[in-house]
């Protein structure tokens, strides 16, 4: 069964701050969706460059595009403003430097139709791309569906903010993006976790999202993101005290271990020692297991990056790739015995996709 294109309006929300280099490509990928019943809302968040002019040019060409101009408030209020400005039954966030495969929206709606009214969110796999849309590498292959709440506290199965589509009722139930994490980080991760608490989650097991890799982006500040993850867990525990204690302890020990690793990479050894000690006090076995998992992850990335560096041919562009095809070595978190062992303490089966 497919959701009727006549009846089902999808609200695409694009927050944009000084994104003139990429906003045109992003809008082209949204406007070029095979599913046509869209309202595309660009929230110009206090941009001081040509972002607004480019967005208005697209709006003149396509009446599905509308522009909302605000003072610079940050990512969370910009996304929430865009969502409130729309009326679609589903909300699809798209960052102003990311792109979509032309069938992304249609395939997510198909999963929603198959999942029924209890499905609150559907995500897709993603690929990392450079500033010219050439592939850098595939994102992790995580095809988790159903009740993923507890497991999501241990591992972000989505990995970016542009891969999801959320049922509006679920979005409104959790209050949208949390202002507590505005300009902090992990706001999209928190939204995913909060939705998965009361709703089931679906997945399109194909690479439908191009996630632009920027060395200066917030997600590249490892210490900041590790601190944001700890704050996120505090918010989850406050809003949902029913989280099993052992699962929360696992998540907190992992987050502090991640902060220790990030601090060590930044050269702050004293902070690293302090955080790893704190993580060990929360759950020693989980901390050691997670540290081993991350070391293996680093080794895997080094091998994959080294392979890309010696590859003679230029990598393909995102839009030229079959979304069902892996590019190079694919990373499956569940192939790690350490991660499977940790996830067995949640409700998620450790079956690979």
């Amino acid at each position: 069964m497919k959701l009727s294109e006549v009846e089902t309006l999808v609200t695409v929300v694009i927050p944009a701050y000084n994104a003139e280099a990429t906003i045109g490509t992003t809008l082209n990928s949204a406007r070029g969706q095979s599913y046509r019943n869209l309202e595309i809302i660009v929230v110009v968040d206090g941009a001081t460059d040509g972002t607004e002019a480019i967005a208005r040019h697209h709006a003149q060409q396509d009446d599905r595009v509308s522009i909302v101009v605000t003072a610079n408030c940050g990512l969370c209020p910009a996304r929430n403003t865009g969502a409130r400005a729309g009326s679609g039954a589903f909300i699809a966030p798209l960052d102003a430097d990311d792109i979509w495969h032309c069938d992304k929206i249609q395939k997510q709606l198909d999963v929603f139709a198959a999942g029924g009214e209890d499905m609150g969110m559907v995500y897709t796999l993603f690929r990392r791309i450079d500033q010219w849309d050439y592939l850098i590498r595939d994102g992790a292959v995580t095809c988790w569906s159903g009740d993923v709440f507890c497991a999501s506290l241990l591992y972000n199965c989505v990995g970016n903010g542009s891969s999801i589509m959320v049922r509006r009722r679920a979005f409104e139930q959790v209050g949208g993006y949390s202002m507590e994490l505005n300009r902090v980080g992990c706001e999209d991760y928190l939204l995913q976790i909060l939705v998965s608490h009361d709703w089931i989650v679906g997945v399109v097991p194909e690479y439908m999202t191009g996630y632009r890799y920027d060395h200066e982006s917030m997600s590249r500040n490892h210490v900041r993101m590790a601190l944001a993850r700890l704050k996120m867990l505090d918010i989850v525990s406050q809003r949902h005290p029913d989280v099993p204690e052992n699962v929360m302890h696992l998540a907190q020990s992992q987050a502090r271990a991640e902060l220790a690793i990030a601090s060590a990479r930044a050269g702050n050894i004293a902070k690293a020692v302090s955080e790893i000690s704190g993580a060990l006090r929360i759950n020693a076995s989980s901390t050691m297991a997670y540290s081993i998992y991350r070391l293996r992850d680093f080794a895997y990335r080094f091998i994959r990056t080294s392979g890309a560096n010696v590859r003679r041919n230029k990598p393909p562009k995102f839009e030229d790739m079959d979304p069902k095809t892996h590019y190079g070595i694919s990373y499956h978190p569940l192939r790690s015995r350490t991660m499977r062992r940790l996830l067995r303490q949640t409700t998620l089966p450790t079956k690979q996709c």
Side-chain angles (χ1 to χ4, degrees):
M1 180 183 70
K2 289 190 176 183
L3 294 173
S4 169
E5 186 165 338
V6 176
E7 298 176 357
T8 307
L9 177 65
V10 176
T11 302
V12 178
V13 178
I14 305 177
Y17 170 73
N18 289 356
E20 65 178 1
T22 57
I23 185 64
T25 303
T26 298
L27 277 166
N28 283 335
S29 79
R31 292 174 55 197
Q33 289 295 298
S34 59
Y35 187 86
R36 305 299 297 169
N37 193 9
L38 309 174
E39 55 178 2
I40 303 169
I41 300 174
V42 182
V43 182
V44 180
D45 184 33
T48 57
D49 63 356
T51 297
E52 183 179 349
I54 295 170
R56 291 198 181 281
H57 176 71
H58 281 263
Q60 291 172 356
Q61 297 178 327
D62 190 333
D63 60 9
R64 297 176 301 168
V65 179
S66 60
I67 315 297
V68 177
V69 180
T70 68
N72 180 240
C73 298
L75 194 56
C76 293
R79 284 173 169 167
N80 289 338
T81 296
R84 287 194 298 268
S87 58
F90 298 93
I91 299 169
L94 175 59
D95 286 350
D97 55 352
D98 295 339
I99 56 178
W100 287 339
H101 184 275
C102 62
D103 291 329
K104 175 185 181 286
I105 296 295
Q106 181 62 70
K107 293 207 172 188
Q108 287 179 301
L109 287 173
D110 291 345
V111 174
F112 269 114
E117 292 296 316
D118 292 333
M119 183 164 286
M121 182 181 78
V122 173
Y123 67 98
T124 77
L125 301 183
F126 72 94
R127 304 188 199 269
R128 292 186 183 273
I129 59 175
D130 65 14
Q131 58 183 317
W132 301 284
D133 300 348
Y134 287 104
L135 267 63
I136 298 175
R137 63 175 182 265
D138 292 344
V141 182
T142 47
C143 303
W144 303 352
S145 60
D147 178 10
V148 303
F149 172 70
C150 287
S152 293
L153 292 170
L154 305 183
Y155 186 84
N156 184 352
C157 62
V158 180
N160 69 95
S162 299
S163 289
I164 65 171
M165 183 190 292
V166 186
R167 191 181 296 274
R168 181 175 289 276
R169 287 191 288 114
F171 183 87
E172 293 175 347
Q173 178 186 318
V174 303
Y177 291 92
S178 172
M179 291 300 296
E180 294 179 77
L181 294 179
N182 190 39
R183 304 187 193 275
V184 176
C186 286
E187 72 290 329
D188 44 7
Y189 191 6
L190 176 61
L191 178 73
Q192 297 157 25
I193 289 174
L194 295 179
V195 169
S196 68
H197 183 269
D198 296 313
W199 301 76
I200 62 172
V201 172
V203 60
V204 177
E206 300 178 31
Y207 297 100
M208 290 284 165
T209 302
Y211 175 52
R212 205 172 300 278
Y213 190 83
D214 181 359
H215 287 277
E216 297 180 357
S217 69
M218 183 187 297
S219 61
R220 297 297 297 155
N221 188 327
H222 300 288
V223 172
R224 181 174 183 175
M225 293 305 292
L227 288 169
R229 183 178 176 186
L230 281 168
K231 184 174 180 62
M232 178 200 73
L233 291 173
D234 287 341
I235 295 171
V236 173
S237 63
Q238 292 168 13
R239 292 185 62 164
H240 295 296
D242 59 330
V243 177
E245 186 177 37
N246 68 312
V247 174
M248 183 55 72
H249 283 171
L250 284 171
Q252 290 171 337
S253 64
Q254 287 186 26
R256 295 198 66 171
E258 189 65 43
L259 180 55
I261 293 169
S263 299
R265 294 174 69 181
N268 191 341
I269 304 303
K271 178 67 172 176
V273 171
S274 173
E275 291 300 330
I276 201 70
S277 299
L280 289 167
R281 285 194 295 272
I282 296 173
N283 189 310
S285 62
S286 171
T287 299
M288 294 303 296
Y290 184 73
S291 299
I292 293 170
Y293 165 77
R294 290 296 283 142
L295 288 172
R296 291 182 62 184
D297 183 21
F298 288 144
Y300 163 77
R301 293 184 185 186
F302 175 79
I303 293 170
R304 183 170 55 181
T305 302
S306 298
N309 289 338
V310 301
R311 190 181 295 116
R312 292 184 178 181
N313 297 327
K314 181 178 288 187
K317 283 198 168 185
F318 174 81
E319 60 266 27
D320 296 331
M321 285 289 292
D322 182 343
K324 297 180 181 179
T325 302
H326 299 304
Y327 178 69
I329 304 171
S330 298
Y331 178 55
H332 296 252
L334 291 184
R335 287 180 180 168
S336 162
R337 286 179 294 178
T338 300
M339 183 55 70
R340 290 201 304 272
R341 190 159 56 247
L342 292 171
L343 289 172
R344 286 194 191 101
Q345 300 182 57
T346 74
T347 59
L348 183 78
T350 55
K351 180 182 178 181
Q352 295 181 139
C353 61

